[in-house]
């Protein structure tokens, strides 16, 4: 591609006792006759830690160095402010992070990139899963995935599949396993990689997943190597414990439309899985709190039928009384236990689903956390599911971790119901409660978490530790837990010789794997504890996790890897950081291209019509910044966006796009609310009239929420939004989708989509208004300008010094753009291009003061006297 040939790509994974060590090696050559930029672009699991990276150019190696994040930041602050470094890691998908490095190399030069990352594979639904993202973006002469697994307990099953695997490719996956060893290789030839016989496109694009499980002749397995041990506990064939589940569901207005439909769909499937001995109930919170029944109810066939009727009728109303909902759920569970309404030997769980932030009743998140922790008292786990991106994920995660549960993000996508159901399936089969694994205190130091509220079927408990005496080679462990019928206890003994015997197959072992497994697990748990900690405790946890991250060379949220490059050709050093789920923020150096659009919306949440092609279904959304019109400059790959508002008086006309070469102009006139809002400093405005003209073709189009007028020379034609029209004449294509939108193309230039947003006719404040999207803006010339038009050219910006802002949920940062240093705020906005029906939440950096410092000149420069 572009003269750069990737001639070799190898993904080599070695898994020993669930601990995976993965090395991705990519080799490329510059076939051009001038120096060119080569990209190394891979996606790795969010659960993994990068441990090493190097680039070798013509025999010279440039290693990545792992440092404390603050030190790396200081060292590179100057370079960052000059735009000389690039962030290398971004959160990219649900399960992955993207690592990208680029370097300029001479003609005929070769470069080798090598990235190493490690992770502990977790057992779910009875299998360990390893996930490899495959996307070489071109045909690769020597492409190979090789996975070697070594499990001392013995392997019982091994499978490999790829989302891109066709029937032809299925036969290329070679898979063998016997006793302790498993091997998988996938090595397609150039021809096998092609999408068709003579195509140069690669079929390799998707997920490659390896799943396996081990033999379990005993409930647990203990391994000792070089002064460290790991203990795996996963008993089988236990009777299932009855469970008591309270579902606490957010039904506030923002859940309306697809979100509440998907929630109903998931709850109906969950009701099909609830077992007859279980107890359950539903609590709904909007502005008020509603319960299905006053107490927990036994899952009889009759009660389940009644519950299905109730679920089908769940609808949205009001705001978000999260505190009221969750406390009602806890009180109900507590009462059920105190009143012996539920079996003594049973597992209790609260699952809360919300898509927003508390804003009715007690809405201070610290107060909610305090109340919830005091009421649960560690008796059962709380699982918090955050639907979409409007949630305060940090708060949900803190509250769940403080109460022995976890938080999970539910992505607002077509499969959201499956995501909800999938989470329930993970916790739907508790086998034991209050599992304690006890190790001799005088023999062990630095033990990972060893008490667990629940053990779920198909999962596994993992504990690792370090011996005080490095030469000690035996260990006795006691395990206790409460089962369905009685208390269970096991005692396990193991010595290092038995482990060594199992590990005689040295070729599979990479270094001190148990020590690294222990370090990985310890860091992971320290970082988790740190989320809910404060003050001195948080400082101590941070210091401990940082020490281990540096000692074992893991890129964690506390460390950064600095990648240096050769100094010629303006190569820029890069910093690799670990993104954090709660705040989707990255250091970026990005070129924004073409995909620019304008979105206008009144300030208050309200029902409006989102329209595009064939949509007119109602759904709600929230705006994130007051006062409109609202401009979003979106990065094509959706990796980031900048947004700003223009606050001007109704009646002002703004020049949006002006291209002197193609003769195209787009201007918009502002309208306000029906009456001014006396409380607001800034009044709402939105576009009530758009004028699009092409002077070379002598064409003008005027659009208001009532009518559409086309003027061709002196000839005028009028339409209303009640018409369905396809008009094609020389140099003009106009399509009106009745009451929804219109698509306009003039000459061979860009196309525009104007969307009609209708409000309820009797609304006391708001009026109908228009939104504008630009398609194929690359067909406009280099000289295009205007409030929107100036962003059709590449723009470069860097974000640094992220810090808490006036709103704790929206951090502030410094943006370097056009040699200006601006304070910007993180927020979210809806983008209706890919999902016209519901919109997609797009994170953006909000530039204050009418885009000052981002737009050329000042916003008043764009005010023009009339629409044409």
């Amino acid at each position: 591609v572009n003269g750069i040939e990737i001639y070799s790509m190898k993904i080599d994974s070695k898994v020993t006792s669930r601990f995976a060590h993965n090395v991705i090696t990519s080799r490329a050559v510059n076939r051009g006759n001038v120096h060119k930029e080569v990209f190394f672009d891979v996606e790795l699991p969010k659960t993994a830690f990068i441990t090493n990276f190097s680039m070798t150019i013509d025999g010279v190696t440039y290693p990545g160095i792992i440092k404390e994040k603050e030190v790396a930041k200081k060292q590179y602050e100057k370079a960052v402010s000059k735009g000389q470094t690039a962030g290398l890691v971004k959160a990219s998908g649900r399960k992955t992070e993207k690592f990208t490095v680029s370097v300029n190399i001479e003609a005929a030069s070769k470069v080798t990139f090598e990235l190493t990352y490690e992770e502990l594979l977790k057992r779910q639904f009875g299998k360990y899963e390893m996930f490899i993202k495959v996307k070489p973006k071109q045909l690769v002469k020597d492409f190979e995935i090789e996975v070697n697994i070594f499990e001392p307990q013995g392997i019982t099953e091994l499978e490999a599949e790829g989302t891109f695997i066709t029937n032809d490719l299925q036969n290329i996956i070679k898979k063998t396993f016997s006793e302790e060893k498993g091997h998988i290789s996938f090595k397609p030839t150039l021809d096998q990689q092609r999408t068709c016989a003579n195509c140069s496109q690669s079929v390799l694009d998707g997920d490659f997943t390896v799943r396996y499980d081990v033999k379990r002749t005993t409930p647990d397995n203990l391994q000792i190597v070089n002064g460290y041990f790991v203990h795996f506990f996963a008993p089988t064939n236990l009777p299932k414990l009855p469970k008591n589940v309270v579902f606490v569901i957010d039904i506030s207005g923002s859940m309306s439309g697809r979100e509440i439909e998907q929630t109903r769909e998931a709850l109906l499937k969950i009701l099909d899985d609830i077992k007859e001995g279980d107890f359950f109930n539903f609590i709904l919170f909007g502005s008020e709190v509603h319960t299905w029944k006053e107490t927990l109810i036994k899952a009889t066939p009759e009660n389940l039928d009644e519950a299905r009727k109730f679920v089908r009728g769940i609808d949205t109303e009001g705001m978000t009384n999260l505190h009221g909902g969750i406390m009602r759920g806890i009180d109900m569970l507590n009462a059920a236990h105190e009143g012996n309404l539920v079996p003594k030997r049973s597992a209790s769980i609260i699952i809360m689903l919300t898509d927003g932030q508390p804003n009715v009743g007690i809405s201070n998140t610290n107060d909610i956390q305090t109340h919830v922790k005091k009421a649960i008292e560690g008796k059962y786990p709380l699982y918090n599911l955050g639907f979409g991106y409007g949630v305060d994920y940090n708060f949900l995660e803190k509250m769940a971790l403080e109460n022995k549960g976890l938080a999970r993000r539910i992505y607002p996508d077509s499969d959201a119901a499956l995501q909800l159901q999938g989470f329930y399936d993970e916790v739907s089969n508790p086998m034991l409660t209050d599992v304690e694994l006890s190790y001799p205190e005088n023999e062990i130091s630095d033990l990972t978490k060893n008490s667990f509220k629940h053990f779920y079927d198909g999962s596994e408990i993992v504990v690792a530790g370090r011996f005080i005496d490095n030469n000690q080679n035996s260990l006795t462990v006691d395990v206790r837990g409460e089962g369905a019928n009685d208390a269970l206890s096991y005692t396990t003994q193991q010595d290092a010789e038995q482990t060594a015997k199992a590990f005689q197959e040295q070729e599979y072992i990479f270094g001190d794997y148990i020590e690294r497994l222990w370090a990985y697990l310890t860091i992971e748990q320290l970082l988790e504890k740190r989320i809910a900690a404060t003050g001195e405790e948080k400082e101590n946890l941070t210091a401990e996790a940082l020490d281990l991250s540096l000692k074992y060379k893991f890129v964690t949220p506390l460390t950064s890897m600095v990648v240096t490059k050769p100094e010629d050709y303006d190569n820029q050093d890069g910093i690799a950081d670990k993104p954090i789920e709660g705040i989707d923020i990255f250091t970026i150096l990005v070129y924004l291209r073409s995909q620019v659009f304008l979105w206008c919306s009144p300030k208050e949440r309200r029902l409006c019509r989102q329209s595009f092609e064939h949509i007119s279904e109602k759904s709600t959304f929230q705006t994130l910044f007051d006062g409109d019109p609202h401009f979003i400059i979106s990065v094509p790959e959706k990796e980031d966006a900048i947004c700003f508002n223009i606050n001007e008086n109704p009646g002002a006309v703004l020049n949006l796009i002006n291209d002197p070469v193609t003769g195209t102009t787009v201007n918009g006139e502002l309208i306000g609310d029906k009456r001014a809002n006396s409380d607001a400093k800034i009044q709402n405005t939105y576009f009530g009239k758009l004028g699009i003209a092409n002077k070379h073709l002598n064409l003008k189009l005027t659009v208001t929420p009532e009518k559409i007028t086309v003027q061709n020379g002196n000839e005028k034609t009028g339409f209303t939004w009640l018409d369905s029209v396809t008009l094609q004449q020389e140099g003009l294509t106009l399509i009106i989708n009745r009451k929804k939108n219109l698509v306009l193309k003039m000459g061979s230039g860009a196309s525009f989509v104007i969307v009609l947003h209708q409000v309820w006719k009797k609304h006391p404040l708001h009026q109908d208004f228009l939104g504008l999207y630009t398609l194929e803006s690359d067909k406009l010339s280099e000289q295009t300008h205007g409030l929107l038009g100036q962003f059709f050219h590449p723009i470069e910006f860097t974000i640094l010094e992220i810090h808490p802002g006036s709103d704790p949920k929206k951090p502030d940062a410094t943006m370097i753009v056009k040699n200006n240093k601006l304070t910007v705020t993180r927020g979210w906005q809806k983008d209706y291009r890919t999902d016209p029906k519901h919109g997609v939440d797009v994170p953006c950096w909000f530039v204050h003061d009418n885009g000052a410092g981002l737009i050329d000149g000042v916003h008043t420069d764009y005010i023009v006297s009339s629409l044409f």
Side-chain angles (χ1 to χ4, degrees):
V1 176
N2 190 24
I4 297 293
E5 181 196 340
I6 300 171
Y7 60 90
S8 166
M9 183 174 259
K10 293 200 171 173
I11 301 165
D12 179 46
S13 298
K14 289 187 168 60
V15 183
T16 303
S17 292
R18 293 64 152 171
F19 195 64
H21 173 90
N22 307 286
V23 183
I24 301 177
T25 311
S26 174
R27 301 173 196 275
V29 58
N30 180 357
R31 297 273 183 221
N33 46 18
V34 291
H35 71 85
K36 289 228 163 98
E37 195 170 17
V38 188
F39 284 87
F40 174 69
D41 196 349
V42 295
E43 290 186 49
L44 48 139
K46 280 181 182 175
T47 43
F49 293 145
I50 291 171
T51 63
N52 202 2
F53 173 75
S54 69
M55 261 178 317
T56 304
I57 302 165
D58 295 333
V60 181
T61 297
Y62 299 84
I65 313 247
I66 292 175
K67 303 185 174 192
E68 181 182 348
K69 188 177 243 173
E70 293 308 307
V71 172
K73 200 171 144 197
K74 282 204 179 75
Q75 184 182 342
Y76 283 85
E77 224 155 43
K78 286 199 179 85
V80 169
S81 63
K82 291 186 201 146
Q84 285 172 350
T85 84
L88 307 179
V89 186
K90 304 188 174 65
S92 68
R94 294 183 191 177
K95 300 194 326 202
T96 56
E97 290 160 359
K98 190 182 244 188
F99 177 91
T100 309
V101 170
S102 69
V103 63
N104 272 294
I105 60 169
E106 296 260 19
S109 272
K110 287 183 175 177
V111 58
T112 299
F113 298 103
E114 186 174 283
L115 178 75
T116 306
Y117 64 91
E118 294 178 344
E119 69 170 326
L120 177 63
L121 303 181
K122 297 201 170 43
R123 187 168 184 255
Q124 253 184 355
F125 304 122
K127 291 189 182 146
Y128 304 98
E129 179 176 293
M130 184 165 71
F131 159 89
I132 297 168
K133 193 82 177 169
V134 176
K135 194 172 185 170
K137 294 185 185 164
Q138 58 168 272
L139 300 172
V140 179
K141 193 168 88 185
D142 184 8
F143 180 92
E144 183 175 16
I145 297 174
E146 185 170 24
V147 181
N148 285 300
I149 300 170
F150 183 77
E151 288 288 350
Q153 284 166 270
I155 296 169
T156 53
E157 54 182 318
L158 175 64
E159 56 192 61
E161 59 181 37
T163 52
F164 53 86
I165 299 288
T166 57
N167 289 343
D168 298 345
L169 287 176
Q170 192 62 52
N171 307 327
I172 307 166
I173 301 177
K174 299 280 179 270
K175 187 181 76 171
T176 56
F177 70 96
S178 62
E179 296 304 320
E180 297 99 359
K181 289 160 86 172
H183 179 253
I184 284 171
S185 78
F186 174 65
K187 199 174 177 180
T189 62
L190 272 176
D191 282 343
Q192 287 164 334
Q193 292 172 44
R194 297 179 197 276
T195 45
C196 66
N198 298 314
C199 299
S200 56
Q201 240 63 38
S202 173
V203 79
L204 305 182
D205 182 358
D207 305 342
F208 189 83
T209 308
V210 173
R211 291 186 193 88
Y212 73 91
D213 199 19
V214 300
K215 283 193 184 120
R216 296 179 199 280
T217 47
T218 56
D220 58 355
N221 176 259
L222 194 54
Q223 297 172 18
I224 302 168
V225 177
N226 298 341
Y228 289 82
F229 78 87
V230 62
H231 184 194
F232 300 106
F233 176 72
T236 50
N237 304 324
L238 291 176
K240 284 197 173 56
L241 264 175
K243 66 179 180 295
N244 317 306
V245 196
V246 176
F247 297 95
V248 181
I249 307 290
D250 181 345
I251 58 161
S252 61
S254 56
M255 282 282 290
S256 77
R258 186 165 74 157
E259 290 187 7
I260 202 73
E261 279 168 33
Q262 292 173 321
T263 303
R264 285 194 294 259
E265 185 188 329
L267 290 175
L268 287 169
K269 293 250 173 54
I270 286 168
L271 285 170
D272 291 343
D273 290 341
I274 287 184
K275 320 239 172 355
E276 198 148 331
D278 294 345
F279 283 75
F280 70 106
N281 202 347
F282 295 104
I283 289 165
L284 312 177
F285 64 90
S287 297
E288 306 291 326
V289 176
H290 308 280
T291 59
W292 170 48
K293 299 286 185 189
E294 286 312 301
T295 60
L296 283 168
I297 293 291
K298 192 167 187 182
T300 61
E302 300 74 33
N303 287 338
L304 287 167
D305 274 345
E306 197 184 327
R308 287 183 187 98
K309 278 188 198 127
F310 174 78
V311 166
R312 287 189 188 102
I314 293 176
D315 209 351
T316 54
E317 59 91 19
M319 294 167 78
T320 310
N321 184 359
L322 187 146
H323 175 265
I326 187 82
M327 291 305 288
R328 181 77 60 90
I330 297 166
D331 292 345
M332 193 179 280
L333 257 183
N334 287 345
H337 282 282
E338 284 157 20
N340 294 321
L341 291 175
V342 294
K344 195 162 174 53
R345 290 192 171 276
S346 60
S348 292
I349 298 170
I350 295 189
I351 298 176
M352 179 173 75
L353 171 72
T354 179
D355 80 327
Q357 298 176 19
N359 54 20
V360 174
I362 294 177
S363 55
N364 178 309
T365 52
N366 289 334
D367 292 349
I368 296 173
Q369 274 168 244
T370 306
H371 292 183
V372 166
K373 190 174 179 184
K374 195 174 168 192
I376 291 182
E377 289 183 309
K379 294 191 290 283
Y380 35 78
L382 165 66
Y383 295 108
N384 287 332
L385 306 180
F387 204 138
Y389 299 103
V391 291
D392 180 346
Y393 191 84
N394 285 352
F395 154 63
L396 294 180
E397 186 169 40
K398 250 183 207 174
M399 190 161 68
L401 291 170
E402 275 187 335
N403 295 288
K404 303 189 176 180
L406 54 87
R408 185 74 60 83
R409 203 190 282 286
I410 301 296
Y411 292 87
D413 226 324
S414 56
D415 68 341
L418 288 171
Q419 295 174 56
L420 287 166
Q421 203 191 327
F423 174 78
Y424 171 79
D425 290 344
E426 286 176 48
V427 297
S428 64
N429 290 316
M431 312 300 270
L432 295 171
T433 61
D434 300 311
V435 181
E436 294 278 341
L437 301 95
S438 308
Y439 305 85
E441 276 179 28
N442 57 347
E443 294 176 9
I444 301 296
S445 72
D446 303 315
L447 189 65
T448 62
K449 180 176 162 178
N450 66 327
S451 75
F452 300 84
K453 194 67 211 165
H454 289 169
F455 167 72
Y456 296 107
D457 192 21
S459 71
E460 178 173 67
I461 285 173
V462 183
V463 182
R466 182 159 68 164
F467 288 107
I468 292 169
D469 172 4
N470 211 14
N471 299 317
Q472 182 171 335
N473 57 14
S474 66
L475 184 62
T476 302
V477 187
D478 290 317
V479 184
R480 300 186 68 79
E482 298 295 330
N485 304 324
D486 46 24
L488 299 182
S489 65
Y490 305 100
T491 300
T492 301
Q493 284 181 304
Q494 175 70 311
D495 60 42
E497 274 172 35
Q498 283 170 283
T499 307
K501 210 154 69 184
F503 285 118
Q504 274 161 356
E505 316 275 354
Q506 279 305 309
E507 64 191 303
Y508 273 85
I509 308 306
F510 55 92
D512 302 321
Y513 84 97
I514 283 191
E515 185 178 343
R516 292 194 71 78
L517 185 159
W518 164 81
Y520 172 95
L521 198 55
T522 304
I523 293 167
E524 191 179 56
Q525 291 176 3
L526 288 168
L527 292 171
E528 203 170 81
K529 274 191 203 155
R530 184 173 165 263
I531 291 169
T534 52
E536 195 180 336
E537 187 197 1
K538 185 166 190 161
E539 283 172 25
N540 294 340
L541 291 167
T542 303
E544 208 181 325
L546 175 62
D547 281 353
L548 285 173
S549 300
L550 291 170
K551 180 180 175 183
Y552 291 96
K553 297 193 166 35
F554 286 128
V555 177
T556 69
L558 304 174
T559 51
S560 294
M561 182 165 68
V562 178
V563 175
T564 50
K565 304 182 188 177
E567 286 174 3
D568 42 11
Y569 305 125
D570 295 332
N571 276 315
Q572 298 162 351
D573 292 344
I575 297 178
D577 288 326
K578 179 106 185 135
I580 301 168
E581 176 65 57
I583 319 173
D584 304 296
I585 290 176
F586 333 113
T587 304
I588 26 189
L589 186 72
V590 142
Y591 291 95
L592 302 180
R593 253 238 105 82
S594 66
Q595 305 268 44
V596 179
F597 61 94
L598 155 69
W599 173 249
C600 3
S601 59
K603 182 165 82 175
E604 295 169 14
R605 176 191 297 166
R606 48 180 238 327
L607 290 167
C608 79
R609 291 250 166 96
Q610 273 99 45
S611 328
F612 217 163
E613 296 316 329
H614 37 267
I615 304 298
S616 65
E617 184 180 317
K618 286 182 177 176
S619 80
T620 55
F621 65 89
Q622 290 162 289
T623 64
L624 285 128
F625 301 112
D626 293 350
D628 291 283
H630 201 120
F631 295 72
I632 298 185
I633 305 146
S634 162
V635 181
E637 301 77 31
K638 295 266 176 55
E639 281 178 351
D640 222 307
I642 306 176
C643 43
F644 63 95
N645 290 345
I646 298 295
N647 300 310
E648 259 307 324
N649 295 324
V653 180
L654 298 172
N655 173 239
L656 303 176
I657 299 167
N658 180 25
D659 180 7
V661 177
T662 62
T664 304
T665 57
V666 181
N667 295 330
E669 184 176 326
L670 299 177
I671 55 168
D673 278 333
K674 290 174 185 171
R675 56 182 169 78
N677 177 352
S678 52
D679 300 336
K681 273 196 253 169
I682 296 168
Q683 298 300 324
N684 284 328
T685 54
Y686 7 102
F687 282 102
K689 194 185 266 189
L690 290 169
I692 302 178
N694 186 307
K695 66 177 186 206
H696 300 336
L697 300 169
N698 206 3
L699 280 173
K700 287 178 185 168
L701 180 88
T702 310
V703 184
T704 70
E706 291 75 46
K707 59 179 202 263
I708 298 128
T709 311
V710 180
Q711 189 173 345
N712 195 341
N714 298 322
E715 195 180 307
K716 272 192 181 178
T717 316
F719 305 100
T720 75
W721 282 102
L722 296 170
D723 299 321
S724 287
V725 175
T726 301
L727 175 69
Q728 280 189 301
Q729 53 190 64
E730 199 177 324
L732 171 76
T733 304
L734 173 69
I735 299 162
I736 300 173
N737 295 305
R738 175 185 154 89
K739 290 168 77 173
K740 293 169 194 164
N741 59 26
L742 68 80
V743 184
L744 170 76
K745 192 173 174 73
M746 291 178 169
S748 56
S751 305
F752 302 97
V753 179
I754 295 172
V755 179
L756 172 66
H757 290 281
Q758 291 183 313
V759 301
W760 176 48
K761 287 286 170 262
K762 293 180 185 168
H763 197 291
L765 270 183
H766 302 322
Q767 307 193 60
D768 294 355
F769 62 101
L770 303 168
L772 171 78
Y773 295 72
T774 308
L775 310 174
E776 305 176 295
S777 55
D778 52 347
K779 291 191 173 167
L780 294 168
S781 80
E782 290 291 313
Q783 292 174 44
T784 303
H785 209 264
L787 264 176
L788 271 180
Q790 63 189 297
F791 298 110
F792 295 164
H793 315 301
I795 176 175
E796 188 180 309
F797 70 98
T798 308
I799 293 291
L800 36 127
E801 300 165 348
I802 292 154
H803 55 275
S806 55
D807 179 341
K809 299 174 188 73
K810 296 177 189 164
D812 282 355
T814 301
M815 174 184 281
I816 310 287
V817 62
K818 296 184 177 175
N819 292 326
N820 297 320
K821 208 171 187 178
L822 313 178
T823 297
V824 293
T825 302
R826 191 62 166 177
W828 299 93
Q829 182 58 311
K830 292 275 190 194
D831 170 356
Y832 291 90
R833 287 170 305 167
T834 54
D835 182 351
K837 196 166 174 182
H838 309 280
V840 173
D841 281 296
V842 176
C844 62
W845 292 108
F846 181 64
V847 179
H848 301 270
D849 303 327
N850 294 304
L854 170 70
I855 61 173
D856 295 338
V858 291
H859 82 278
T860 49
D861 298 345
Y862 299 88
I863 296 177
V864 290
S865 57
S866 66
L867 216 50
F868 295 110

